[in-house]
């Protein structure tokens, strides 16, 4: 579940109007309520092979534990989501990681207010690292942000967090779209999860390149595979970013 599965967001940004337009003012509100009821029952996270946590936004202040996810009541309606006691759930849908890399300030740590406003937070690399260590995770996968001209995915926070965005050319951003393919390999009696980004190239990028090259053949606009190899150390901390070791008894593809 993401931040746009919230009733107030859907009322404000056109989904309710779209239901009315599609089936008429008599049945539109009923269709909207039924679909919103489904959204209210969606899980807010998924755990893959006990090692990869998938969320829409992020981990907020990172003080909660995986077991806390199992206590979230459903349906989770807007009033409950915005209650101060549930700010950690709100941030699963709304928070963002603080950028790192060669152009980032290496002295930024901890949790900061988000420019999105409200109780939304931004979290630095040390929050991700501590959260993963405390919960036995090797990777966090999140979305929630489209970056102009991006490849559709980013590997961040000491290779322990991946941002992936599947919609290419989102709002004229000229971004590639990407999904993550998770497969398993047997390595010395352990199951290694291998995460490979698969990228669908932006049509805007392709057209711009064709235009700039004077009408020559465009770059391939189909899907392409990109691989970032990761390995997990014995303590569970990832040193490279997309292979994850779990116990031999864990079932392939297990998710919660």
């Amino acid at each position: 579940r993401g931040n746009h599965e919230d009733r107030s967001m859907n009322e404000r940004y056109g989904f309710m109007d779209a239901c009315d337009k599609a089936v008429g003012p008599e049945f539109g509100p009923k269709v909207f309520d039924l679909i919103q009821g489904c959204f209210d029952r969606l899980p807010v996270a998924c755990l893959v092979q006990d090692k990869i946590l998938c969320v829409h936004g992020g981990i907020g202040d990172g003080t909660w534990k995986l077991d806390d996810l199992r206590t979230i009541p459903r349906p989770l309606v807007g009033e409950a989501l915005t209650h101060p006691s549930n700010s950690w759930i709100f941030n699963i849908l709304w928070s963002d990681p603080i950028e790192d890399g060669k152009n980032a300030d290496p002295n930024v740590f901890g949790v900061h207010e988000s420019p999105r406003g409200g109780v939304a937070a931004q979290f630095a690399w040390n929050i991700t690292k501590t959260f993963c260590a405390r919960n036995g995770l090797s990777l966090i996968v999140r979305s929630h942000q489209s970056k102009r001209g991006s490849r559709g995915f980013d590997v961040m926070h000491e290779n322990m967090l991946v941002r992936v965005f599947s919609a290419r050319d989102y709002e004229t951003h000229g971004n590639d779209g990407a999904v993550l393919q998770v497969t398993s390999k047997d390595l010395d009696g352990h199951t290694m999860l291998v995460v490979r980004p698969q990228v669908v190239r932006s049509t805007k990028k392709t057209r711009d390149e064709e235009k700039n090259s004077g009408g020559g053949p465009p770059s391939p606009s189909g899907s392409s595979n990109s691989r970032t190899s990761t390995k997990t150390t014995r303590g569970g901390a990832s040193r490279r970013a997309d292979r994850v070791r779990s116990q031999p008894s864990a079932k392939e593809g297990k998710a919660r």
Side-chain angles (χ1 to χ4, degrees):
R1 176 175 175 174
N3 60 307
H4 278 275
E5 279 69 59
D6 181 73
R7 178 178 288 268
S8 63
M9 293 286 288
N10 287 325
E11 290 175 347
R12 187 182 310 167
Y13 292 108
F15 183 56
M16 174 181 278
D17 293 337
C19 291
D20 288 348
K21 184 176 180 180
V23 296
E26 181 180 355
F27 293 102
K30 296 177 182 178
V31 170
F32 176 80
D33 284 340
L34 287 171
I35 295 175
Q36 189 59 54
C38 177
F39 290 161
D40 291 341
R41 288 166 173 80
L42 291 175
V44 299
C46 175
L47 184 62
V48 180
Q49 202 89 340
D50 296 324
K51 288 294 181 180
I52 302 175
L53 179 66
C54 304
V55 295
H56 177 75
I59 57 173
D61 62 11
T63 57
W64 51 277
K65 297 180 180 180
L66 293 183
D67 282 342
D68 294 332
L69 294 172
R70 301 181 176 95
T71 68
I72 298 175
R74 287 185 279 171
L76 180 64
V77 298
E79 293 79 8
L81 186 61
T82 56
H83 193 276
S85 64
N86 288 331
S87 61
W88 67 279
I89 306 175
F90 184 90
N91 271 292
I92 291 174
L93 307 183
W94 282 95
S95 64
D96 298 297
I98 295 175
E99 298 292 329
D100 55 5
K102 62 180 182 180
N103 296 322
D105 184 353
N107 297 312
V108 175
F109 300 90
V111 182
H112 301 259
E113 290 184 2
S114 170
R116 297 180 187 273
V119 297
Q122 289 183 307
F123 55 97
W125 64 271
N126 64 306
I127 301 298
T128 300
K129 188 173 182 179
T130 301
F131 180 84
C132 287
R134 190 170 61 247
N135 289 283
L137 298 171
S138 293
L139 188 65
I140 295 172
V141 176
R142 53 91 60 178
S143 184
H144 196 41
Q145 288 176 298
S146 170
K147 295 184 180 179
R148 192 173 298 278
S150 70
R151 297 174 298 170
F153 74 97
D154 289 306
V155 182
M156 307 171 61
H157 289 191
E158 294 194 3
N159 298 330
M160 303 190 77
L161 186 145
V162 175
R163 179 196 67 87
V164 60
F165 201 86
S166 60
R168 66 176 174 176
D169 295 318
Y170 179 75
E171 293 187 345
T172 70
H173 285 184
N175 61 289
D176 297 333
V179 296
L180 300 181
Q181 181 185 40
V182 182
T183 56
S184 60
K185 274 189 174 183
D186 183 74
L187 185 67
D188 299 329
H190 296 273
T191 298
M192 182 76 73
L193 299 182
V194 181
V195 180
R196 291 190 178 96
Q198 295 187 320
V199 177
V200 178
R201 186 159 175 77
S202 159
T203 56
K204 182 180 185 300
K205 285 182 182 177
T206 302
R207 289 167 182 165
D208 288 347
E209 288 174 2
E210 182 179 6
K211 187 185 302 181
N212 294 334
S213 66
S219 301
S221 59
S223 63
S224 61
N225 289 336
S226 177
R227 179 173 178 171
T228 352
S229 189
T230 6
K231 199 170 180 182
T232 320
T233 62
R234 179 174 296 177
S238 176
R239 295 300 178 195
R240 293 181 297 165
D242 74 337
R243 289 187 181 173
V244 183
R245 177 172 293 172
S246 59
Q247 297 301 318
S249 59
K251 294 181 180 178
E252 181 176 343
K254 179 180 177 183
R256 293 179 186 168

